[in-house]
Amino acid sequence: MLVAGLIAYLSSDAIDGWLYQRSRDGVLLPWPVLRIRHVERLWRLQAEQCGTSLSGELVNALTATYPKASGRDIKELMKLATRYAKAKQIALSEDVFGLCAQFRAID
C-alpha cells in the first residue's frame, strides 16, 4: 500500500514492485521494476535498435551495474552510449556506459 506522505519524499525508490521517479515537472511517475531476464533482453533489443550488438558479458555487467534502470533509462543510455562510441570511434564497453550514465543520472 502506498502512503501519500511517503511518496512526496521519494526521488527514486522501489515500493510494492514499482519504481517511482520524478519527472521533469516534479510529478512522480510509476515504472514497474523489471526482472533480470527481461532487463537482459531489453539491453539486447535496444542495442539492435541502435544498430549494434552487445556481448553476453557486457549485458551481464550492465544488468548488474544498473539494477534499478527502467526501460526508458536503458533506451536513453543505449542511445547516448552508441552515439558517444561512434563519435570517438571506440567499441562499446562498461567504461563508455559508465561515463554516459553520469550524464543521464542513472545509478
Short mmCIF file of all heavy atoms in Angstrom, two decimals, residues 10-44:
data_model
loop_
_atom_site.label_atom_id
_atom_site.label_comp_id
_atom_site.label_asym_id
_atom_site.label_seq_id
_atom_site.Cartn_x
_atom_site.Cartn_y
_atom_site.Cartn_z
N LEU A 10 10.14 10.75 -1.97
CA LEU A 10 10.96 9.82 -2.73
C LEU A 10 11.39 10.43 -4.06
O LEU A 10 10.63 11.12 -4.71
CB LEU A 10 10.17 8.54 -3.01
CG LEU A 10 9.75 7.75 -1.78
CD1 LEU A 10 8.93 6.55 -2.21
CD2 LEU A 10 10.96 7.29 -1.02
N SER A 11 12.61 10.15 -4.45
CA SER A 11 13.05 10.56 -5.77
C SER A 11 13.22 9.36 -6.68
O SER A 11 12.98 9.44 -7.86
CB SER A 11 14.36 11.34 -5.68
OG SER A 11 15.35 10.53 -5.11
N SER A 12 13.65 8.24 -6.13
CA SER A 12 13.82 7.03 -6.94
C SER A 12 13.93 5.82 -6.01
O SER A 12 15.02 5.38 -5.70
CB SER A 12 15.06 7.16 -7.80
OG SER A 12 15.25 6.01 -8.56
N ASP A 13 12.81 5.30 -5.55
CA ASP A 13 12.81 4.15 -4.66
C ASP A 13 11.78 3.13 -5.11
O ASP A 13 10.76 3.48 -5.69
CB ASP A 13 12.49 4.57 -3.22
CG ASP A 13 13.65 5.29 -2.57
OD1 ASP A 13 14.79 4.88 -2.79
OD2 ASP A 13 13.40 6.27 -1.87
N ALA A 14 12.04 1.88 -4.81
CA ALA A 14 11.12 0.82 -5.17
C ALA A 14 10.13 0.58 -4.03
O ALA A 14 10.52 0.46 -2.88
CB ALA A 14 11.87 -0.46 -5.46
N ILE A 15 8.84 0.56 -4.36
CA ILE A 15 7.78 0.30 -3.40
C ILE A 15 6.78 -0.64 -4.06
O ILE A 15 6.30 -0.35 -5.15
CB ILE A 15 7.05 1.60 -3.00
CG1 ILE A 15 8.01 2.58 -2.37
CG2 ILE A 15 5.89 1.29 -2.06
CD1 ILE A 15 7.39 3.92 -2.10
N ASP A 16 6.48 -1.74 -3.40
CA ASP A 16 5.49 -2.69 -3.91
C ASP A 16 5.76 -3.12 -5.35
O ASP A 16 4.85 -3.24 -6.16
CB ASP A 16 4.08 -2.11 -3.81
CG ASP A 16 3.63 -1.93 -2.37
OD1 ASP A 16 4.18 -2.63 -1.50
OD2 ASP A 16 2.73 -1.11 -2.12
N GLY A 17 7.03 -3.31 -5.72
CA GLY A 17 7.36 -3.76 -7.07
C GLY A 17 7.32 -2.67 -8.13
O GLY A 17 7.43 -2.94 -9.31
N TRP A 18 7.17 -1.42 -7.71
CA TRP A 18 7.16 -0.31 -8.66
C TRP A 18 8.28 0.65 -8.31
O TRP A 18 8.63 0.81 -7.15
CB TRP A 18 5.83 0.45 -8.60
CG TRP A 18 4.71 -0.33 -9.20
CD1 TRP A 18 3.97 -1.28 -8.58
CD2 TRP A 18 4.22 -0.23 -10.52
NE1 TRP A 18 3.04 -1.79 -9.44
CE2 TRP A 18 3.16 -1.17 -10.64
CE3 TRP A 18 4.55 0.53 -11.63
CZ2 TRP A 18 2.46 -1.35 -11.82
CZ3 TRP A 18 3.85 0.35 -12.80
CH2 TRP A 18 2.81 -0.57 -12.89
N LEU A 19 8.83 1.28 -9.30
CA LEU A 19 9.88 2.26 -9.11
C LEU A 19 9.29 3.63 -9.40
O LEU A 19 8.72 3.84 -10.47
CB LEU A 19 11.04 1.98 -10.06
CG LEU A 19 12.26 2.87 -9.96
CD1 LEU A 19 12.96 2.61 -8.63
CD2 LEU A 19 13.22 2.60 -11.09
N TYR A 20 9.39 4.53 -8.45
CA TYR A 20 8.83 5.87 -8.64
C TYR A 20 9.96 6.84 -8.91
O TYR A 20 10.93 6.91 -8.17
CB TYR A 20 8.05 6.30 -7.39
CG TYR A 20 6.76 5.54 -7.26
CD1 TYR A 20 6.73 4.31 -6.65
CD2 TYR A 20 5.60 6.05 -7.80
CE1 TYR A 20 5.56 3.59 -6.56
CE2 TYR A 20 4.42 5.34 -7.71
CZ TYR A 20 4.40 4.11 -7.09
OH TYR A 20 3.23 3.41 -7.02
N GLN A 21 9.84 7.58 -10.01
CA GLN A 21 10.86 8.55 -10.38
C GLN A 21 10.19 9.89 -10.64
O GLN A 21 9.10 9.96 -11.18
CB GLN A 21 11.58 8.11 -11.64
CG GLN A 21 12.39 6.85 -11.45
CD GLN A 21 13.10 6.44 -12.71
OE1 GLN A 21 12.61 6.64 -13.81
NE2 GLN A 21 14.26 5.85 -12.55
N ARG A 22 10.89 10.96 -10.26
CA ARG A 22 10.37 12.29 -10.53
C ARG A 22 10.54 12.62 -12.00
O ARG A 22 11.61 12.44 -12.56
CB ARG A 22 11.11 13.33 -9.71
CG ARG A 22 10.66 13.38 -8.31
CD ARG A 22 11.12 14.67 -7.65
NE ARG A 22 10.99 14.53 -6.23
CZ ARG A 22 9.85 14.66 -5.58
NH1 ARG A 22 8.76 14.95 -6.23
NH2 ARG A 22 9.80 14.48 -4.29
N SER A 23 9.50 13.14 -12.61
CA SER A 23 9.60 13.61 -13.99
C SER A 23 10.17 15.02 -13.95
O SER A 23 10.41 15.60 -12.90
CB SER A 23 8.22 13.61 -14.66
OG SER A 23 7.42 14.63 -14.09
N ARG A 24 10.36 15.61 -15.10
CA ARG A 24 10.88 16.98 -15.17
C ARG A 24 9.92 17.98 -14.53
O ARG A 24 10.32 19.04 -14.09
CB ARG A 24 11.15 17.35 -16.62
CG ARG A 24 12.27 16.56 -17.21
CD ARG A 24 12.56 16.99 -18.63
NE ARG A 24 13.61 16.16 -19.17
CZ ARG A 24 13.59 15.63 -20.36
NH1 ARG A 24 12.59 15.84 -21.16
NH2 ARG A 24 14.59 14.88 -20.77
N ASP A 25 8.64 17.64 -14.49
CA ASP A 25 7.63 18.53 -13.91
C ASP A 25 7.52 18.36 -12.39
O ASP A 25 6.75 19.06 -11.76
CB ASP A 25 6.24 18.24 -14.49
CG ASP A 25 6.24 18.14 -15.99
OD1 ASP A 25 7.31 18.23 -16.60
OD2 ASP A 25 5.17 17.96 -16.56
N GLY A 26 8.26 17.41 -11.81
CA GLY A 26 8.17 17.16 -10.39
C GLY A 26 7.10 16.15 -10.02
O GLY A 26 6.83 15.90 -8.87
N VAL A 27 6.47 15.55 -11.03
CA VAL A 27 5.43 14.55 -10.80
C VAL A 27 6.10 13.19 -10.65
O VAL A 27 7.02 12.86 -11.38
CB VAL A 27 4.44 14.52 -11.99
CG1 VAL A 27 3.42 13.42 -11.82
CG2 VAL A 27 3.78 15.86 -12.16
N LEU A 28 5.64 12.40 -9.71
CA LEU A 28 6.17 11.06 -9.54
C LEU A 28 5.49 10.11 -10.52
O LEU A 28 4.27 10.00 -10.56
CB LEU A 28 5.95 10.56 -8.11
CG LEU A 28 6.85 11.21 -7.06
CD1 LEU A 28 6.42 10.77 -5.68
CD2 LEU A 28 8.29 10.86 -7.31
N LEU A 29 6.31 9.44 -11.32
CA LEU A 29 5.79 8.50 -12.31
C LEU A 29 6.14 7.08 -11.90
O LEU A 29 7.29 6.81 -11.55
CB LEU A 29 6.41 8.79 -13.68
CG LEU A 29 6.17 10.19 -14.23
CD1 LEU A 29 6.98 10.39 -15.49
CD2 LEU A 29 4.70 10.40 -14.50
N PRO A 30 5.18 6.18 -11.94
CA PRO A 30 5.50 4.79 -11.58
C PRO A 30 6.06 4.02 -12.77
O PRO A 30 5.58 4.14 -13.88
CB PRO A 30 4.13 4.23 -11.17
CG PRO A 30 3.16 5.02 -11.97
CD PRO A 30 3.76 6.39 -12.14
N TRP A 31 7.12 3.26 -12.53
CA TRP A 31 7.69 2.37 -13.53
C TRP A 31 7.78 0.99 -12.90
O TRP A 31 8.26 0.86 -11.78
CB TRP A 31 9.11 2.82 -13.92
CG TRP A 31 9.16 4.15 -14.55
CD1 TRP A 31 9.44 5.33 -13.92
CD2 TRP A 31 8.91 4.47 -15.90
NE1 TRP A 31 9.37 6.36 -14.81
CE2 TRP A 31 9.05 5.87 -16.05
CE3 TRP A 31 8.57 3.73 -17.02
CZ2 TRP A 31 8.88 6.51 -17.25
CZ3 TRP A 31 8.40 4.39 -18.22
CH2 TRP A 31 8.56 5.75 -18.33
N PRO A 32 7.34 -0.05 -13.59
CA PRO A 32 7.47 -1.38 -12.99
C PRO A 32 8.94 -1.79 -12.91
O PRO A 32 9.72 -1.49 -13.80
CB PRO A 32 6.70 -2.28 -13.96
CG PRO A 32 6.67 -1.54 -15.24
CD PRO A 32 6.73 -0.08 -14.90
N VAL A 33 9.31 -2.45 -11.83
CA VAL A 33 10.66 -2.98 -11.69
C VAL A 33 10.71 -4.26 -12.50
O VAL A 33 9.92 -5.18 -12.29
CB VAL A 33 10.99 -3.24 -10.20
CG1 VAL A 33 12.35 -3.88 -10.07
CG2 VAL A 33 10.91 -1.96 -9.42
N LEU A 34 11.65 -4.33 -13.44
CA LEU A 34 11.73 -5.45 -14.36
C LEU A 34 12.55 -6.59 -13.77
O LEU A 34 13.45 -6.37 -12.97
CB LEU A 34 12.35 -5.00 -15.68
CG LEU A 34 11.63 -3.85 -16.38
CD1 LEU A 34 12.44 -3.39 -17.57
CD2 LEU A 34 10.25 -4.30 -16.84
N ARG A 35 12.26 -7.79 -14.20
CA ARG A 35 13.04 -8.95 -13.78
C ARG A 35 14.32 -9.02 -14.61
O ARG A 35 14.39 -8.47 -15.70
CB ARG A 35 12.23 -10.22 -13.98
CG ARG A 35 11.02 -10.23 -13.07
CD ARG A 35 10.40 -11.56 -13.02
NE ARG A 35 9.30 -11.49 -12.04
CZ ARG A 35 8.35 -12.35 -11.98
NH1 ARG A 35 8.32 -13.37 -12.80
NH2 ARG A 35 7.39 -12.21 -11.08
N ILE A 36 15.31 -9.73 -14.09
CA ILE A 36 16.63 -9.77 -14.72
C ILE A 36 16.56 -10.27 -16.16
O ILE A 36 17.18 -9.68 -17.04
CB ILE A 36 17.58 -10.68 -13.90
CG1 ILE A 36 17.72 -10.11 -12.52
CG2 ILE A 36 18.90 -10.86 -14.61
CD1 ILE A 36 19.02 -9.62 -12.09
N ARG A 37 15.81 -11.32 -16.42
CA ARG A 37 15.77 -11.84 -17.80
C ARG A 37 15.15 -10.83 -18.76
O ARG A 37 15.54 -10.74 -19.91
CB ARG A 37 15.04 -13.17 -17.84
CG ARG A 37 13.58 -13.08 -17.50
CD ARG A 37 12.86 -14.39 -17.78
NE ARG A 37 11.45 -14.12 -17.73
CZ ARG A 37 10.59 -14.70 -16.92
NH1 ARG A 37 11.00 -15.63 -16.10
NH2 ARG A 37 9.33 -14.38 -16.94
N HIS A 38 14.18 -10.04 -18.27
CA HIS A 38 13.58 -9.02 -19.11
C HIS A 38 14.55 -7.87 -19.36
O HIS A 38 14.60 -7.32 -20.46
CB HIS A 38 12.30 -8.47 -18.47
CG HIS A 38 11.22 -9.50 -18.34
ND1 HIS A 38 10.52 -9.67 -17.18
CD2 HIS A 38 10.75 -10.41 -19.21
CE1 HIS A 38 9.64 -10.65 -17.34
NE2 HIS A 38 9.77 -11.12 -18.56
N VAL A 39 15.32 -7.54 -18.34
CA VAL A 39 16.29 -6.45 -18.47
C VAL A 39 17.38 -6.85 -19.46
O VAL A 39 17.76 -6.05 -20.33
CB VAL A 39 16.89 -6.09 -17.10
CG1 VAL A 39 18.01 -5.08 -17.24
CG2 VAL A 39 15.81 -5.54 -16.18
N GLU A 40 17.86 -8.08 -19.36
CA GLU A 40 18.88 -8.55 -20.31
C GLU A 40 18.36 -8.52 -21.74
O GLU A 40 19.06 -8.08 -22.65
CB GLU A 40 19.33 -9.96 -19.95
CG GLU A 40 20.13 -10.03 -18.68
CD GLU A 40 20.42 -11.45 -18.24
OE1 GLU A 40 19.84 -12.40 -18.81
OE2 GLU A 40 21.24 -11.60 -17.32
N ARG A 41 17.15 -8.94 -21.92
CA ARG A 41 16.54 -8.92 -23.26
C ARG A 41 16.38 -7.49 -23.76
O ARG A 41 16.62 -7.20 -24.92
CB ARG A 41 15.18 -9.63 -23.22
CG ARG A 41 14.55 -9.73 -24.57
CD ARG A 41 13.36 -10.67 -24.55
NE ARG A 41 12.83 -10.77 -25.89
CZ ARG A 41 11.58 -10.53 -26.22
NH1 ARG A 41 10.71 -10.19 -25.29
NH2 ARG A 41 11.17 -10.63 -27.46
N LEU A 42 16.01 -6.59 -22.86
CA LEU A 42 15.83 -5.19 -23.23
C LEU A 42 17.14 -4.56 -23.66
O LEU A 42 17.17 -3.79 -24.63
CB LEU A 42 15.22 -4.43 -22.05
CG LEU A 42 14.71 -3.03 -22.32
CD1 LEU A 42 13.71 -3.02 -23.47
CD2 LEU A 42 14.07 -2.47 -21.07
N TRP A 43 18.24 -4.88 -22.96
CA TRP A 43 19.55 -4.36 -23.38
C TRP A 43 19.88 -4.82 -24.80
O TRP A 43 20.33 -4.03 -25.63
CB TRP A 43 20.65 -4.83 -22.43
CG TRP A 43 20.75 -4.04 -21.17
CD1 TRP A 43 20.42 -4.45 -19.91
CD2 TRP A 43 21.21 -2.68 -21.01
NE1 TRP A 43 20.65 -3.45 -18.99
CE2 TRP A 43 21.15 -2.36 -19.65
CE3 TRP A 43 21.69 -1.73 -21.91
CZ2 TRP A 43 21.53 -1.12 -19.15
CZ3 TRP A 43 22.07 -0.49 -21.42
CH2 TRP A 43 21.99 -0.19 -20.06
N ARG A 44 19.62 -6.09 -25.09
CA ARG A 44 19.92 -6.62 -26.44
C ARG A 44 19.02 -5.98 -27.49
O ARG A 44 19.48 -5.63 -28.58
CB ARG A 44 19.77 -8.13 -26.44
CG ARG A 44 20.86 -8.84 -25.70
CD ARG A 44 20.79 -10.36 -25.89
NE ARG A 44 21.86 -11.00 -25.17
CZ ARG A 44 21.75 -11.49 -23.94
NH1 ARG A 44 20.61 -11.43 -23.29
NH2 ARG A 44 22.79 -12.05 -23.35
#
